[in-house]
Each structure stands twice: as C-alpha cells, then as structure tokens.
C-alpha cells in the first residue's frame, strides 16, 4: 500500500471516529442539550424550560416507600361465610408511597383549624364548608352503652391527639387528601423560591388561596391573583441577560410540584399490608401470608415479648383487650398510632386498631379478566371547565358548589380558588378504545348489559328500543334535596319492598380489622363495604401518593 492510500485510510478512520463521537454525544441526554435536535434546553434567552438534573422523587411527608410488584390478591386463610367476594387473583401494583400511620386526630383537627381560619363558620357564606368537614362524633354512642366520654373528648382532647381519627366518611377523607395535596405543594413552592415565604400564614383568606391544579393551569390566578405573593419568591428576582425575570412560575417540567395525595386503591392497600418486602419465600409469594407480620398467629413468638398481641382487635365476646396486666393488647377502643411494631414496609396498624377506607367502589367480584395491572374500580373522568374566552374557570366566593348527600349532610364540592371540574364529553371519548364515558364505576358489573336478565326489544308503537331488565344491584334510592323557597331539607326515604341489595355506585370498600372486630377480619385480604357518605367509630383512613419515574429507589438500575 503506497503512502497516499495510507494517508487516505488514516483520514477515513479519523472521520469515522469523529462522526461516532458526535453521534454518541447527540444520542445521549447530555446536560442541557436535546438529544434529538442538538438544541439547548433551559436557554436563558427563552424557549423550553426543563429540569434535566432531576434524580429522584422525594418521599412525601409522613409516608413510606412501597416498591411495586405482583401478588395474589384476595387470598384469605379463613372464609367460613363463603362470601366469594375475595376470590384469589394475580395482580401487579406499581410502586407508590403510603402513610406510615392512619391520619390522626391532631392531623385532622389541624385541617379543621385551617378551614375555620380561611372560611370562618360564623360567616353565612362559608358556614357549611367547616360544618361539612367535621367528623361525626356521635358515632361513639350506643343505646345500651355509656360512651359520652369518647363523644365529647376523642376528637379534640390532647390525650387522644395521636389516635386515629374516626367518624370520617369516605367523602370527607377524599377532601382531606385534596387539602393535604395543596398544603404540601404550597410549602414546596415556597421552599424552592417560587412563592413568597410564609404566604400560607400571612396572605391566605377565602378569596386568596392556593390550589395545586390552579397553579399548574393558571398560575397567575393563584392566591386570587395576588402578585405580591406570586412575585415574592427569590426566583422571581433572578433575571436573564436582558434583565427579564426567569422561571417566574414552576411547572410540572420543573419536578418541584409534588404528586397528589389520595386514598390508596384496594389492591395497593392489600399489597402494602402484607409487607412482603423482606419475605420472599414461596408460600408468601403464593399468597399464604396471613397477617402483616410473619407467622400464622396473632401473638408474638419472640422471646422478649412472647405471648403479646401483635395488633389491637376484639379477642372475644366482651373481651376488647384481654385481662388487665396480662395478655392485654394495651387498648380497649383504639390505640395510639405506632403502639405496635410496623410491618416490613414500615407501616403501622395495617391490622387492627381501625379499619380503613380505600378508594374503590365495592363489587363482589374483582374483574381481573379485564385488568390485572393497578386494579381500581371507581374511575369518574373529569376535565377543567373552560370559560368562553378559553381560560379555565376558577371558582369564586359566590360560586361555591355544595352537594347534599343522601343522609342529608351538606359538603362543599368546589372551594374558592379551585378549578371547576366537569365530566368528560364526546371530545375526549370519540373513537377512543380505552374508555367511552365519564362515569366508569359500574363498568362490566352492575349496569344493564352486564345483567343476565338484560334483553333489548323494539317497540313498534313507540318507535323506540325498550330495555326489559332487572338491575343487578337493586338498592334503595333515598331522595334528599333542599327546598329552594324555605331552605329546608326534604327527605324521602325509599320504602319499597322490592329492593334486593345495599350495593350501588356509592358504597366503598374498607379494609383491615378494627378494635371492634375479631381476628378473622385482620387478614389483609378480607373486604367489606360501607356507604361513602356515612361514618363509624371503627373506620379511619390513610393517604397514598403515586410513584413517578423508576420502579425502585435505586434509580431503576438493573440489579445483577
């Protein structure tokens, strides 16, 4: 090979190496350069803003990380009643976070105090907001028992501060989770410099509040459009080369707005309660783990505390705690949270103490044939209400919407400063394969077409189709409304003798045993239901937060 060819070969190799390096640099997500175009991200001169340094979702306050996986849902050890409402089925749950403990009395009274300060109950415009959030303290009463001490003291007395809150309906629990979302996001944005420090203490009133959804969709309308609060953060003081403010508002792309709090789904709650983090044996994987702790018994087998009860539950007729000083579970009603040891996920009282609301609408059958991933029944899809000018509709003080529940209680649906929500319509459902309507609570179960009595015929005289059917869930239909003239409640109870069930779209699942229940119910797979607008002295709740990004907390790196 002559020298000319050698030189050409060297040049070709050099060009190839250069092209490879350039290609690798473009294909890798290096810093602030878009791998697809080579354009700069986060250019101070304007354009696309994005957090390219995001590493890991912070663990939300008060929660533990639950790494998702597969498990046998509904596998119970004992089923003498043969309810057939928890047939075993294989499910996969995504990673999420869950409260270490149930929401406590002090947590909930802090929420009530916020509502009282922002929406004064002595103001007729806001009186129903605070009243609608109050727990029902009368749930402690028993016609043949003296429980007035709990009725008067359990919610507010400091002696019960760290006990789980009860007397809270499913609807109230959801509203608390929504409120908590806004308070955590509000604090996160203050700490990151997008909102004036301590604005939640100095600048909040009924007409000037923070809503996470409002901040994301119409940030300038947050705090009632109070520019002093919105421009008071330290980031607003930063400018680009031309002196213009940068990073005025945080967006989802910043990664600074926390993921919402909510009630856990039934599948999430059951998976978390089993606590299978450290127990990878064959029996556990196949669903033969009976309690949140290891073993088949309710008493500890460890030498240091052998014989002690592992949870707070009713041990027998007239026995709510055991013999005083011996074989006692330490509580006759509820116990202070963290009284008993946590499960392997770091969750306390996933058996006993109080049963807990979960998000799902109750049906006797979990439809795993249709879905076995993040199972949940209860989706009601909504969207932001839009004004004629194309902007989102923000609820004002004069536009608060209240719902009158079947039991006559009135609760606020939309608070001032929040975005009004409406059901999705044909614009979102047309030619979609994954959903066709807003309300999907009775999908494949309970609607007319899922009934074995469904028959469609054509009435030639009327010129229309008739549905000859008996509904699968023929539950009572009570009617409660407000008389617009006198402002009084009109109650009409369903006295029909043809009702066959209490199950409808407004009953929710609750899981876990309580201080009132026998050991049978503390099996995490057991399930029961209760009307979403009613409360008891044995049902509480805890919140969950979805995980974004990698499944595990090690950055999603493959384990070898």
């Amino acid at each position: 090979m002559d020298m000319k060819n050698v030189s050409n070969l060297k040049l070709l190799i050099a060009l190839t190496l250069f092209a490879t390096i350039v290609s690798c640099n473009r294909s890798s997500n290096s810093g602030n350069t878009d791998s697809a175009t080579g354009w700069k991200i986060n250019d101070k001169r304007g354009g696309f803003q994005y957090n390219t340094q995001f590493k890991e979702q912070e663990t939300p306050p008060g929660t533990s990380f639950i790494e998702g996986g597969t498990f046998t849902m509904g596998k119970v050890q004992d089923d003498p009643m043969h309810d057939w409402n928890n047939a075993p089925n294989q499910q996969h749950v995504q990673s999420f976070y869950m409260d270490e403990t149930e929401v406590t009395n002090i947590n909930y009274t802090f929420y009530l105090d916020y509502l009282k300060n922002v929406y004064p109950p002595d103001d007729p415009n806001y009186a129903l907001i605070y009243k609608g959030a109050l727990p029902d303290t009368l749930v402690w009463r028993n016609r043949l028992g003296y429980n007035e001490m709990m009725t008067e003291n359990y919610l507010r007395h400091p002696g019960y501060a760290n006990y789980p809150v009860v007397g809270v309906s499913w609807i109230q629990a959801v509203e608390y989770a929504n409120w908590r979302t806004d308070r955590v996001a509000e604090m996160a944005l203050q700490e990151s410099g997008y909102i004036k420090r301590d604005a939640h203490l100095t600048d909040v009133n009924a007409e000037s509040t923070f809503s996470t959804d409002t901040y994301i969709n119409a940030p300038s309308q947050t705090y009632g459009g109070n520019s002093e609060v919105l421009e008071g953060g330290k980031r607003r003081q930063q400018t680009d080369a031309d002196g213009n403010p940068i990073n005025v508002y945080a967006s989802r792309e910043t990664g600074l707005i926390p993921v919402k709090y909510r009630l856990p789904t039934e599948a999430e709650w059951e998976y978390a309660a089993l606590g299978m983090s450290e127990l990878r044996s064959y029996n556990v994987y196949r669903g033969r783990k009976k309690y949140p702790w290891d073993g088949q018994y309710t008493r500890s087998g460890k030498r240091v505390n052998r014989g002690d009860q592992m949870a707070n539950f009713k041990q027998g007729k007239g026995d709510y705690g055991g013999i005083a000083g011996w074989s006692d579970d330490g509580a006759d009603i509820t116990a202070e949270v963290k009284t008993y040891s946590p499960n392997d996920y770091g969750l306390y009282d996933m058996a006993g103490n109080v049963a807990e609301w979960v998000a799902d609408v109750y049906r006797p059958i979990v439809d795993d044939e249709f879905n076995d991933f993040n199972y949940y029944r209860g989706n009601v899809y909504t969207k932001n209400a839009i004004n004629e000018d194309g902007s989102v509709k923000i609820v004002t003080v004069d536009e608060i919407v209240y719902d009158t529940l079947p039991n006559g209680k009135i609760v606020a649906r939309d608070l001032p400063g929040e975005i009004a929500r409406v059901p999705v319509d044909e614009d979102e459902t047309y030619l979609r394969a994954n959903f066709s309507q807003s309300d999907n609570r009775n999908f494949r179960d309970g609607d007319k077409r899922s009934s074995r009595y469904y028959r469609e015929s054509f009435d030639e005289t009327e010129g229309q189709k008739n549905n000859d059917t008996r509904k699968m869930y023929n539950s009572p239909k009570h009617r409660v409304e407000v008389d617009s003239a006198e402002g009084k409640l009109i109650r009409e109870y369903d006295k029909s003798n043809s009702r066959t069930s209490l199950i409808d779209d407004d009953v929710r699942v609750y899981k876990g045993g309580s201080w009132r229940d026998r050991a049978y119910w503390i099996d995490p797979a057991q399930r029961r239901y209760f009307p979403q607008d009613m409360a008891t002295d044995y049902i509480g709740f805890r919140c969950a937060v979805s995980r974004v990004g990698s499944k595990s907390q090690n950055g999603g790196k493959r384990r070898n």
Side-chain angles (χ1 to χ4, degrees):
M1 182 181 295
D2 57 24
M3 295 300 297
K4 183 177 181 180
N5 290 336
V6 171
S7 298
N8 290 339
L9 181 59
K10 289 181 178 180
L11 179 61
L12 179 61
I13 293 174
L15 290 173
T16 302
L17 288 173
F18 176 76
T20 301
I21 292 172
V22 171
S23 175
C24 288
N25 285 338
R26 289 182 175 178
S27 63
S28 63
N29 193 355
S30 57
N32 289 333
T33 302
D34 176 31
S35 62
T37 63
W39 286 30
K40 284 187 177 181
I41 302 173
N42 301 318
D43 194 322
K44 288 187 176 182
R45 293 168 293 182
F48 187 56
Q49 302 294 313
Y50 200 87
N51 183 1
T52 58
Q53 305 302 315
F54 184 83
K55 299 296 183 183
E56 176 76 20
Q57 180 181 4
E58 292 186 8
T59 300
T63 68
S64 291
F65 174 69
I66 314 296
E67 183 173 344
T70 186
F71 79 114
T72 304
M73 179 180 177
K75 179 64 176 178
V76 295
Q77 298 297 306
D78 305 302
D79 190 18
M81 302 302 294
H82 298 290
D83 287 334
W84 296 106
N85 70 343
N86 47 9
N89 62 94
Q90 200 76 4
Q91 293 287 338
H92 188 98
V93 175
Q94 279 188 296
S95 298
F96 63 103
Y97 300 86
M98 181 179 276
D99 277 342
E100 294 178 342
T101 71
E102 299 103 344
V103 172
T104 63
N105 285 319
I106 192 171
N107 295 148
Y108 202 86
T109 52
F110 186 78
Y111 163 55
L112 293 176
D113 184 70
Y114 176 93
L115 294 180
K116 181 184 289 186
N117 291 331
V118 176
Y119 309 104
D122 55 355
D123 187 329
N125 294 320
Y126 313 124
L128 294 177
I129 295 177
Y130 178 75
K131 186 177 179 180
L134 285 171
D136 182 3
T137 57
L138 301 184
V139 295
W140 288 105
R141 285 181 170 169
N142 186 309
R143 283 166 288 190
L144 292 178
Y146 179 73
N147 297 325
E148 291 304 293
M149 186 275 294
M150 275 89 79
T151 298
E152 296 170 358
N153 295 288
Y154 184 80
L155 175 64
R156 299 186 184 275
H157 195 284
Y160 292 114
N162 291 312
Y163 284 58
V165 67
V166 297
V168 175
S169 69
W170 181 92
I171 292 175
Q172 290 174 314
V174 169
E175 290 302 317
Y176 172 85
N178 294 336
W179 171 85
R180 185 177 175 184
T181 294
D182 293 337
R183 304 291 73 78
V184 172
E186 186 176 26
M187 183 59 65
L189 291 172
Q190 287 185 30
E191 292 177 348
S192 57
Y194 283 93
I195 293 176
K196 175 185 173 183
R197 176 68 72 172
D198 295 332
H200 64 294
L201 300 175
T202 60
D203 297 274
V204 171
N205 55 59
E207 298 179 353
S208 176
T209 59
F210 176 88
S211 165
T212 306
D213 286 336
T214 301
Y215 187 85
I216 291 172
N217 293 278
S220 64
Q221 300 302 308
T222 314
Y223 293 102
N226 188 340
S227 59
E228 180 182 347
V229 175
L230 297 171
E231 297 176 8
K234 61 184 180 180
R235 287 189 179 271
R236 188 62 191 255
Q237 301 167 9
Q238 299 178 10
T239 59
D240 60 17
D242 298 325
N244 299 315
I246 60 174
N247 295 329
V248 177
Y249 302 116
S251 62
R252 288 197 192 277
E253 288 83 356
T254 64
L256 296 173
I257 300 177
V259 181
K260 294 181 179 180
Y261 285 84
R262 55 178 174 79
L263 291 183
T265 66
E266 180 181 4
E268 287 175 334
W269 194 98
E270 186 173 329
Y271 177 83
L274 286 170
M276 298 188 292
S277 175
E278 302 298 331
L279 303 173
R280 302 293 186 180
S281 69
Y282 175 78
N283 284 341
V284 170
Y285 177 78
R286 296 300 299 169
R288 294 186 176 91
K289 190 170 188 289
K290 188 173 184 178
Y291 299 119
W293 52 87
D294 192 15
Q296 298 290 309
Y297 306 101
T298 63
R299 295 185 182 274
S300 173
K302 296 180 180 179
R303 178 175 296 182
V304 294
N305 57 352
R306 180 168 295 167
D308 288 354
Q309 291 287 5
M310 302 290 288
N312 174 23
F313 62 96
K314 184 178 180 180
Q315 298 179 32
K317 182 175 177 58
D319 184 357
Y320 287 83
I323 300 173
W326 182 86
S327 186
D328 191 0
D329 66 14
D332 40 24
I333 55 168
T334 58
E336 187 172 5
V337 297
K338 296 188 177 181
T339 296
Y340 305 92
S341 299
N343 70 2
D344 288 325
Y345 283 130
L347 305 177
Y348 294 84
D349 295 321
M350 296 300 284
N353 214 17
V354 292
E356 299 177 18
W357 290 114
V358 295
D360 295 57
V361 169
Y362 177 82
R363 288 294 185 270
I365 297 175
V366 172
D367 190 2
D368 62 318
E369 292 183 359
F370 185 82
N371 182 39
D372 57 4
F373 179 78
N374 274 0
Y375 187 87
Y376 166 63
R377 177 179 290 280
N379 282 309
V380 180
Y381 299 123
T382 60
K383 62 179 180 178
N384 294 337
I386 304 298
N387 295 315
E388 293 182 359
D389 61 359
S391 61
V392 293
K393 180 176 178 56
I394 309 297
V395 178
T396 65
V397 173
D398 300 326
E399 299 174 325
I400 304 174
V401 178
Y402 296 96
D403 284 335
T404 302
L405 306 180
N407 62 2
K409 193 161 188 174
I410 299 175
V411 297
R413 185 201 312 166
D414 297 322
L415 295 177
E418 297 178 346
I419 297 177
R421 306 286 296 181
V422 296
V424 298
D425 53 26
E426 191 176 357
D427 291 341
E428 288 77 28
T429 61
Y430 182 64
L431 291 183
R432 279 193 178 273
N434 55 335
F435 69 97
S436 59
Q437 60 188 26
S438 173
D439 190 345
N440 297 275
R441 289 176 296 178
N442 63 358
F443 178 69
R444 282 172 59 97
D445 190 16
D447 57 359
K448 293 178 179 179
R449 291 187 181 276
S450 65
S451 171
R452 63 179 178 150
Y453 298 106
Y454 180 82
R455 184 179 66 203
E456 189 174 77
S457 60
F458 189 80
D459 189 330
E460 295 183 357
T461 59
E462 296 290 336
Q464 61 184 16
K465 291 182 179 180
N466 290 330
N467 296 327
D468 180 13
T469 184
R470 294 193 344 229
K471 290 192 68 175
M472 183 177 291
Y473 298 111
N474 184 25
S475 59
K477 305 297 180 186
H478 305 303
R479 177 174 169 266
V480 180
E481 62 182 30
V482 179
D483 187 312
S484 57
E486 299 183 8
K488 296 181 179 180
L489 282 179
I490 300 175
R491 296 182 175 95
E492 292 186 6
Y493 298 99
D494 188 337
K495 299 180 181 180
S496 171
N497 294 323
S498 62
R499 300 305 183 188
T500 59
S501 173
L502 294 176
I503 300 173
D504 58 25
D505 289 343
D506 295 324
V507 295
R508 300 284 172 167
V509 178
Y510 69 95
K511 300 281 282 184
S514 74
W515 64 276
R516 278 192 177 276
D517 295 312
R518 302 289 185 95
Y520 171 80
W521 292 108
I522 65 177
D523 184 334
Q526 297 288 4
R527 57 200 302 259
R528 290 174 283 180
Y529 64 89
F530 205 70
Q532 66 181 20
D533 59 340
M534 297 179 67
T536 75
D537 61 354
Y538 60 87
I539 300 180
F541 70 101
R542 71 181 76 206
C543 298
V545 176
S546 298
R547 165 82 174 173
V548 297
S550 62
K551 177 177 182 287
S552 62
Q553 286 191 312
N554 66 354
K557 295 179 181 178
R558 192 180 188 88
R559 288 189 285 257
N560 295 321

